[in-house]
Amino acid sequence: MKPASDSRRFSREVDRSARELAKARQEKRTFWRYAYLLGAGGWLFVIPVVGGAYLGKYFDDKFGGKGISWTLTFLVLGIAFGVYNVWRFFTREFRP
């Protein structure tokens, strides 16, 4: 006869496997799931980039005169923030 700890460990493993199987069945990889991922990832990237460009243009008009230094600065910051957003979204979305 096996000790009680072995049967509890086996029971926990079976329970964990059943939960993983149920989650996998629930999250079928369909066309709409991929469309959601691409759409959400695109918006998470585009909004900071466009927002940074507009904010930089506003600062250039308000404080910078005829230069585009603020526009380029905030555009680069928007790209960096957009890449970070997409990275964070996909690492959370595909976490096991």
Side-chain angles (χ1 to χ4, degrees):
M1 189 168 194
K2 292 185 177 182
S5 65
D6 284 346
S7 66
R8 276 189 241 125
R9 184 171 21 134
F10 177 72
S11 177
R12 283 193 306 264
E13 287 293 321
V14 169
D15 187 45
R16 183 181 61 81
S17 295
R19 280 193 311 262
E20 287 176 0
L21 182 61
K23 183 179 177 184
R25 284 183 179 162
Q26 199 174 36
E27 294 180 353
K28 289 182 179 177
R29 304 292 187 214
T30 63
F31 168 77
W32 295 112
R33 172 128 172 99
Y34 288 119
Y36 154 73
L37 291 173
L38 288 174
W43 282 111
L44 286 170
F45 180 75
V46 167
I47 289 174
V49 172
V50 172
Y54 276 116
L55 187 63
K57 178 69 172 146
Y58 171 77
F59 279 167
D60 276 335
D61 292 343
K62 184 98 172 164
F63 303 114
K66 295 181 182 182
I68 59 167
S69 62
W70 285 111
T71 303
L72 290 176
T73 300
F74 280 103
L75 184 63
V76 169
L77 287 175
I79 291 171
F81 191 64
V83 167
Y84 173 73
N85 278 341
V86 171
W87 171 78
R88 190 178 68 184
F89 173 72
F90 281 112
T91 56
R92 285 185 181 179
E93 193 66 31
F94 291 111
R95 183 180 300 159

